[in-house]
Amino acid sequence: MFFTTILLLASPALSRIHRQSIISKYNVVRTDLITNETTPLQVGNGNFAFNVDNTGMQTFLPFNTLSSWGWHNDSLPTNGERIQDYTGIPKLTHGRNVSYDIPDPSLPEASQWLTANPNRINLARIGLVYKGEYVSAEQISESRQELDLWNGTITSRFVIAGEPVEVVTQGDLESDSVVVWVKSELLRVGELGVQIDLPFPVVHSTEFKFEVFVGSYGVSGDHGSFLVGVGDTAGIHHLMGGTEYWVNLRWETASPITVGRVDDATHRYVLVPGENATEMAFTASFSPDRRDADSPATVQRRSRAAWNQYWGEGGFVDVTGSSDPAAGELQRRIILSQYHVRVNSAAGGQSPQESGLMNNGWYGKFHMEMVVWHNAHWVTWGRAEIFNDIFPGVYEALLPSSLERARLMGWDGARWPKMTDVVSGINSPGGINGLLLWQQPHPMYLASLAYLASPTRETLERWDRVLTATADYMASYAWGNESSGYYDLGPPTYGVTENTPPDETLNLAYEIAYWRYGLDVAREWKTKLNQPIPAQWTTVAENLAPPPQVDGLYTVYEGLNSSWWNDTSLTKDPRSLIMLQGVLPDTPAVDPEIALKTAEKVWDVWTDDKIRGWGRPVLAINAARVGRPDKAVYHLTAFDYWKFDDAGFAERGGDGGTPPPFMPGNAGLLYAVAYMAAGWNGSTGDAPGFPVEDGWVVKHEGLLKAP
């Protein structure tokens, strides 16, 4: 076997919690064969993930190998429509026509192409073949699979044709690689091997908005591949129009492997060990170019050491000493979420899609309004190095297109997209995509987190350009209403919950408050840098319309009356009002007493059966903030409603329509737990979000207070 065990705990003297024993308690063990409706286990590094069935590979279920850099454009429309003719849909906005990124009914195929492209590609399927064919579920018996969290290793044992098979699968935190080690007598007799199959992307109509299995196999004419090999290495070059990449293979010199193409008409390659060998191990390293992969033994050692270091550093929360019977399941979710965000959500310079690197939701693109929920936890869990790999890089990549978008719409600064990718920077056309508003102040919240972790001039300078462009847009977008004397936001616009009539939606409560917070942060940033504050930032910030109220409570947007509490289209998801106190730091725009009364009303009408997505974390944060730790814990432990599967992946629930997992659920849980354990700006005492009088014992270390 080509690996040894390395146990590394960074700075053990500083840790008062025995982390390894707690983490290992929650290893994932599967003994039943999974189906296409089950989330696979994964290895990976945030830029790359390899998803596996019970064989430790992609054998009887064609799960995906996804990356942050692997993208493809479908062929252009064939009905004569030209992409460059799309200019959006004009909407009357305070006396002038403004073009928004909404599908154009006169250019349906061009609009769909812009929505769906580029799309994330499946780099390869790697699976076991028995007598030349993929092993089927029916051929497997006595299956047992375990994800060893501390070491980042998946060990799969099962029986094929009466013979035991063992597969050990590992990723690499330093490269986009997977190492697979296989042991079986079936290798020696030549009946078992490994196949690499290169899929071709489907054409992404609305039918393929979500893909559990990404790409199509057996397509020969639309792409090409060829094999090169020298000594203990080989490379498969895959070309698909303007997209190309390499599968770089390596094995140990003393344990040779032969790689060959199955036939000329397909893009399938088979790996078989040397004569009489009962073991084979190889590294498959994926990259846009040809490079030498590291040996299996090197990657295995490095991977274990890196995972041990990940678990040993950063923050940790231990609730296992609590008497509340929900503590064990909450601890499981905390531990497994930490593994899953590292594998799915740590890409350099970009945020993950909602389903991470498991499958494709929304064509593989990420949503800018969700970047806080995906990534804020990195800072409060003491992992600012990962946060800083993502930010402000993602905004810097999107800045040129966002400046141009604002210019074409007649505003200053940068208008950030809603659903996008860093390759094109396009705001994918959509009825909601073109009108959503609350992603605009996110850079201020994220910059505040960065400064919380590192309050230095370097941090201030690193974020200054992004914050300046953001604040310029926010001040320019707000419309001076001569009748009221206030600055208004919208219409047309959509708010957090995307359930209001956009052409009538004026001065959304959360967006107004968030706008004030964002402009205040931008002004404070300039002060810290000893730079002048643009006068328009101050004029708009201090003269924004107040968040609307009805009968002494905040309401979703201006113009509603008290009957809105009976409007189920609005009360089925009133989370934006909960967010006024909790997720949003203190701001002059929000009266804490009114926000508390509003939250109490929302608690009554937003019942368990209606809450989905990241609703539970936001409710928990709000409850902790207003001094109700009992309700905070309730929302994190409402297990009958908030589902995490056996592998610890959060499910979205409700009518979201996306295949699991729902990564903002895992990341949101982590942010809420850190908020409740370490506290927030202005909180006092230890673990202020947990009701210690109800038997909760919370040990934590390495966490930072939230803003």
Side-chain angles (χ1 to χ4, degrees), residues 177-252:
S177 305
V178 59
V179 170
V180 178
W181 174 85
V182 185
K183 179 180 180 181
S184 177
E185 182 68 17
L186 294 173
L187 292 171
R188 187 186 64 78
V189 298
E191 294 182 340
L192 195 66
V194 173
Q195 185 167 280
I196 300 176
D197 205 343
L198 305 176
F200 186 77
V202 299
V203 176
H204 289 82
S205 66
T206 54
E207 179 184 355
F208 292 102
K209 183 184 297 183
F210 311 120
E211 296 173 276
V212 173
F213 303 119
V214 180
S216 179
Y217 296 91
V219 178
S220 59
D222 296 322
H223 58 140
S225 65
F226 63 87
L227 174 69
V228 296
V230 178
D232 58 0
T233 68
I236 303 171
H237 193 191
H238 193 199
L239 303 96
M240 302 180 292
T243 301
E244 59 179 298
Y245 62 92
W246 286 80
V247 186
N248 301 295
L249 302 170
R250 187 169 178 181
W251 47 89
E252 304 294 341

Side-chain angles (χ1 to χ4, degrees), residues 1-69:
M1 185 177 293
F2 296 100
F3 58 78
T4 57
T5 299
I6 297 177
L7 300 181
L8 171 66
L9 179 62
S11 303
L14 300 178
S15 179
R16 59 187 177 87
I17 301 172
H18 194 277
R19 298 187 180 195
Q20 185 178 359
S21 63
I22 296 171
I23 291 163
S24 299
K25 180 180 178 180
Y26 298 100
N27 287 351
V28 180
V29 176
R30 286 176 165 172
T31 55
D32 295 329
L33 295 186
I34 63 175
T35 70
N36 61 356
E37 295 182 351
T38 309
T39 53
L41 299 185
Q42 301 173 293
V43 294
N45 60 21
N47 276 299
F48 168 86
F50 184 72
N51 300 271
V52 305
D53 60 26
N54 297 78
T55 66
M57 285 185 271
Q58 301 148 338
T59 300
F60 63 88
L61 288 169
F63 288 119
N64 309 304
T65 304
L66 299 182
S67 71
S68 62
W69 48 263

Side-chain angles (χ1 to χ4, degrees), residues 389-405:
D389 281 344
I390 301 168
F391 301 109
V394 64
Y395 285 106
E396 292 169 337
L398 295 168
L399 186 56
S401 59
S402 298
L403 288 166
E404 180 65 6
R405 181 178 303 110

Side-chain angles (χ1 to χ4, degrees), residues 667-704:
L669 169 76
L670 292 177
Y671 195 49
V673 168
Y675 200 102
M676 294 161 59
W680 56 92
N681 184 30
S683 68
T684 59
D686 189 50
F690 285 89
V692 294
E693 65 277 6
D694 293 340
W696 283 90
V697 177
V698 182
K699 298 179 183 178
H700 62 89
E701 57 192 19
L703 304 178
L704 292 180

Side-chain angles (χ1 to χ4, degrees), residues 351-425:
S351 194
Q353 59 171 322
E354 287 190 352
S355 53
L357 292 172
M358 183 173 292
N359 51 54
N360 273 358
W362 305 105
Y363 312 106
K365 299 185 179 184
F366 66 91
H367 293 193
M368 288 294 287
E369 81 276 19
M370 295 306 296
V371 296
V372 169
W373 282 109
H374 277 292
N375 299 293
H377 67 89
W378 293 123
V379 171
T380 55
W381 281 80
R383 302 191 186 280
E385 71 282 358
I386 296 177
F387 181 90
N388 291 332
D389 281 344
I390 301 168
F391 301 109
V394 64
Y395 285 106
E396 292 169 337
L398 295 168
L399 186 56
S401 59
S402 298
L403 288 166
E404 180 65 6
R405 181 178 303 110
R407 186 191 69 80
L408 291 173
M409 299 177 81
W411 291 304
D412 298 332
R415 180 181 172 99
W416 303 113
K418 190 272 190 202
M419 170 181 155
T420 190
D421 62 278
V422 295
V423 177
S424 69

Side-chain angles (χ1 to χ4, degrees), residues 115-134:
T115 301
N117 287 277
N119 42 77
R120 201 182 301 262
I121 60 171
N122 181 4
L123 300 173
R125 175 188 183 185
I126 304 178
L128 282 175
V129 287
Y130 176 66
K131 295 183 177 180
E133 299 293 334
Y134 280 118

